[in-house]
Amino acid sequence: MLDKISIFKNLSKEQLEELEEITLVKKYKKGEFLFIEGEEPKWLIYLLSGSIKLYKTTQNGKEIFLHQLPPMNFVAEMVNFENIPYPASAIFVVSGEVLKIDYEKFKAKFLNDPKICMNLIKSMSEKLRITSNLLHQELILNSEAKVAKFILMHEDLFNELKHTKIASILNITPETFSRILNKFKTLEIIKLSEKNEILEKNVDKLTGIYSF
């Protein structure tokens, strides 16, 4: 399994065996936390399957959505290198499993390999891009643009999650979310089933809404 992950694919058989000794695989059910904001990190975590929602909680208890993380990605690896507590919480929205690598042992044995270091840098650069996109969404996109982008980028989650949950993720009210969906249906931008699953969507019109 480890040799299928791009960051480790060039390791020797002996190195892979060493890595396996400090690695465990754990399954999580939908609704289980991978980690909680403020918790101290111990593991370098790689998401093998399922989907994770990353979010922060404000002082008054409001949940602020940060990112939906798909499989085959490292999760919050920056905290390991910065040696800081998790700045957000991660919860499974789709059941899955992760690789958990003992970070201190990994650091001692593997971070002298320039190829591994470069791949980790690439992974962290991708997280910075995600953060930039998040700022763009919150500071620039209006409510209709947020909904249009979510439908385009996360159709599977749209079909699975309750509308109140999606509204929370997008930081808009359920009433606003419902109004926007009704508008999209009236304008034939989307077509929903009786279970509110997407049957058809006009990609060009949705792209035009959030790119405007």
Side-chain angles (χ1 to χ4, degrees), residues 186-203:
T186 299
L187 295 175
E188 298 184 343
I189 296 174
I190 59 172
K191 182 178 179 181
L192 303 181
S193 70
E194 292 182 357
K195 295 182 179 180
N196 283 320
E197 295 178 345
I198 295 174
L199 297 175
E200 298 177 15
K201 64 180 184 291
N202 188 313
V203 174

Side-chain angles (χ1 to χ4, degrees), residues 146-155 157-158 166 170:
K146 289 181 181 181
V147 175
K149 186 174 183 180
F150 190 88
I151 291 172
L152 280 172
M153 302 298 184
H154 305 291
E155 183 176 338
L157 291 175
F158 182 96
I166 299 174
L170 297 177

Side-chain angles (χ1 to χ4, degrees), residues 9-200:
K9 66 181 181 181
N10 292 320
L11 295 182
S12 67
K13 181 180 178 181
E14 291 74 19
Q15 286 177 309
L16 288 170
E17 289 174 351
E18 279 189 280
L19 184 58
E20 188 174 352
E21 290 178 0
I22 61 173
T23 301
L24 60 86
V25 177
K26 185 173 180 180
K27 294 183 178 181
Y28 288 83
K29 294 180 181 179
K30 178 181 177 181
E32 282 193 277
F33 282 96
L34 180 59
F35 52 78
I36 297 174
E37 185 175 349
E39 185 179 335
E40 294 291 335
K42 177 183 178 183
W43 308 97
L44 181 62
I45 301 173
Y46 191 85
L47 181 62
L48 293 171
S49 63
S51 184
I52 291 172
K53 180 181 73 173
L54 297 169
Y55 69 93
K56 287 185 68 67
T57 304
T58 64
Q59 291 183 343
N60 60 8
K62 182 181 178 182
E63 186 179 293
I64 300 175
F65 172 78
L66 298 177
H67 182 52
Q68 197 81 31
L69 193 67
M72 309 311 286
N73 274 293
F74 281 102
V75 185
E77 66 274 26
M78 182 71 76
V79 299
N80 298 109
F81 306 114
E82 293 290 331
N83 193 28
I84 58 174
Y86 287 108
S89 298
I91 190 170
F92 277 83
V93 293
V94 177
S95 298
E97 62 180 6
V98 299
L99 280 176
K100 303 179 79 172
I101 304 170
D102 186 308
Y103 178 68
E104 288 303 318
K105 293 179 180 178
F106 176 79
K107 178 180 178 181
K109 293 184 177 182
F110 293 96
L111 282 189
N112 59 350
D113 187 320
K115 291 182 180 179
I116 290 179
C117 290
M118 182 57 67
N119 284 332
L120 286 170
I121 290 171
K122 289 179 180 178
S123 178
M124 288 186 285
S125 295
E126 173 65 12
K127 300 301 189 305
L128 290 174
R129 185 189 65 79
I130 289 168
T131 301
S132 176
N133 286 342
L134 174 67
L135 289 172
H136 176 267
Q137 173 175 300
E138 291 303 313
L139 298 177
I140 298 176
L141 297 185
N142 61 29
S143 296
E144 288 190 6
K146 289 181 181 181
V147 175
K149 186 174 183 180
F150 190 88
I151 291 172
L152 280 172
M153 302 298 184
H154 305 291
E155 183 176 338
D156 55 338
L157 291 175
F158 182 96
N159 290 337
E160 180 174 343
L161 299 178
K162 293 181 179 179
H163 286 179
T164 52
K165 194 65 177 177
I166 299 174
S168 176
I169 288 173
L170 297 177
N171 295 323
I172 60 178
T173 66
E175 294 77 15
T176 297
F177 184 75
S178 179
R179 174 180 55 78
I180 292 170
L181 285 187
N182 287 332
K183 179 179 179 179
F184 286 0
K185 288 187 288 185
T186 299
L187 295 175
E188 298 184 343
I189 296 174
I190 59 172
K191 182 178 179 181
L192 303 181
S193 70
E194 292 182 357
K195 295 182 179 180
N196 283 320
E197 295 178 345
I198 295 174
L199 297 175
E200 298 177 15

